[in-house]
Structures are given as structure tokens and as C-alpha cells.
Amino acid sequence: MHYKKLFSKHLLLRKFHKGDIDFIFKHFSDANVTRFLYDQEPLKSIEEASKLLSWVMDFDSQDHIRWCITLKDIPIGTCGFHLYDAEMKSAEIGYDLAYQHWNKGYMTEALNVVLHHAKQNLQLHTVNACVATDNTFSQKLLQKLKFVLVKTDPNKHLYRGKYYPHHIYSLVLK
């Protein structure tokens, strides 16, 4: 996937680098950030953070791309695409933000520039999002961005012995 630095009014979305290891560990071990991430346990060690950082730093990947969302040069979250399907020109979007930055419009701002990039530079036609049914903040964000609820999967993720239902949203980029 084609990577480039992205800018918005308040944010810089950039590549991750090795110096982001402490942010990755702190961010993905925070119970607020990981509350609805039913496909990954909260990080418990720097070694786990290092594996995740290696994945987000795979800039030559053909199936995913992830940006570090920064505010005044301080990392505050991540966003990007995974499950890229070149034939269908589609991908799934994922995002997370440090708790102290919730409800300030930063994720809306970040996703707007990422979706514009997806249309203009990645030539994506469809962007999907998978959101836990009890994650109402994320659902409102997607609806604000004109994503449409297409279905609910009652058994999307098996996490700690329990299945968690998820809404599947979709956005056709025009």
C-alpha cells in the first residue's frame, strides 16, 4: 500500500519509528484504549509492544498501512487500513486514540484525511469498519463520516471464551 505523510488542521499522521516503542506499550496497555479491541489482549510487556511496532513499521506491506497520529509532535493514537483487497479495491479501517484526547474531534479529523488519501492515492472504492456493538462512540464517529451499517455479526470475535457481536459498516468513496 502507498504510504505518505498526511496533515490536517491540528494533526500530523506519520510513519512509526523505533522511538515510538514507549508510546505503543503505554497506549495498547491502557484499558480505555483496548476496551473494545476484542481481537488483541492489552500489551503486558515491551516485547509484545516491539512485535506490534514491527507490524506497524512494515512499510512495504501489501495488505496493511498504519499511521501514528500526532498532536504537536506527541503521539496520541493510530489509524490505518488492513485486510486490503486489491481486486475489490477495498480495505478495513482501524483506529484508536488515547483516552485524554477523546471527544475533541481529533479522530474525525484524522480519518477524514486518511479517507481522502484512500480515494486519491490508494484508489480504494470501499472502506469497511468492524465495531463492537457496545462501542457507541465509534459507531457515532463512523455515521458522522457517512459509513452505512450493512450487517451485524453476532460471533465476530472470540475473546476470553466469549463471542462479541460487531457491526460491520461500509463507505463507498466517491
Side-chain angles (χ1 to χ4, degrees):
M1 297 190 79
H2 176 69
Y3 173 86
K4 75 181 242 182
K5 239 183 230 186
L6 303 174
F7 301 89
S8 68
K9 183 176 179 182
H10 301 102
L11 306 172
L12 164 65
L13 283 69
R14 62 162 173 80
K15 286 183 179 182
F16 280 90
H17 53 74
K18 291 183 184 211
D20 291 321
I21 188 74
D22 290 334
F23 165 72
I24 290 287
F25 178 66
K26 180 180 176 188
H27 188 66
F28 288 105
S29 61
D30 182 328
N32 290 306
V33 173
T34 61
R35 179 175 172 194
F36 299 109
L37 296 181
Y38 297 124
D39 58 346
Q40 177 183 319
E41 289 283 341
L43 298 179
K44 293 180 180 77
S45 69
I46 287 292
E47 291 75 27
E48 290 175 341
S50 180
K51 287 178 186 175
L52 181 56
L53 185 59
S54 293
W55 183 80
V56 298
M57 287 180 60
D58 183 2
F59 305 123
D60 296 323
S61 172
Q62 297 302 306
D63 71 345
H64 72 272
I65 186 170
R66 200 80 175 182
W67 286 271
C68 181
I69 303 169
T70 64
L71 175 66
K72 298 180 182 176
D73 295 327
I74 297 170
I76 64 169
T78 81
C79 67
F81 299 106
H82 52 276
L83 301 176
Y84 174 66
D85 184 330
E87 184 178 331
M88 296 301 294
K89 297 186 181 209
S90 69
E92 186 173 295
I93 196 164
Y95 47 88
D96 45 78
L97 193 64
Y99 180 74
Q100 64 268 33
H101 298 288
W102 290 6
N103 298 312
K104 296 180 181 178
Y106 293 134
M107 192 53 75
T108 302
E109 193 174 316
L111 294 186
N112 272 320
V113 297
V114 165
L115 291 169
H116 179 77
H117 176 70
K119 179 182 176 189
Q120 297 299 316
N121 301 104
L122 303 178
Q123 284 76 46
L124 288 182
H125 176 266
T126 307
V127 176
N128 300 306
C130 180
V131 179
T133 56
D134 50 351
N135 188 345
T136 55
F137 288 117
S138 190
Q139 292 170 50
K140 288 177 185 175
L141 170 64
L142 292 171
Q143 291 163 3
K144 182 184 201 179
L145 295 169
K146 307 294 188 219
F147 278 75
V148 175
L149 177 62
V150 292
K151 74 176 185 174
T152 300
D153 184 340
N155 299 307
K156 178 65 176 163
H157 289 294
L158 176 62
Y159 181 72
R160 297 182 179 172
K162 178 181 173 189
Y163 284 98
Y164 288 87
H166 283 65
H167 291 310
I168 311 302
Y169 286 85
S170 188
L171 175 69
V172 175
L173 300 173
K174 296 178 182 177

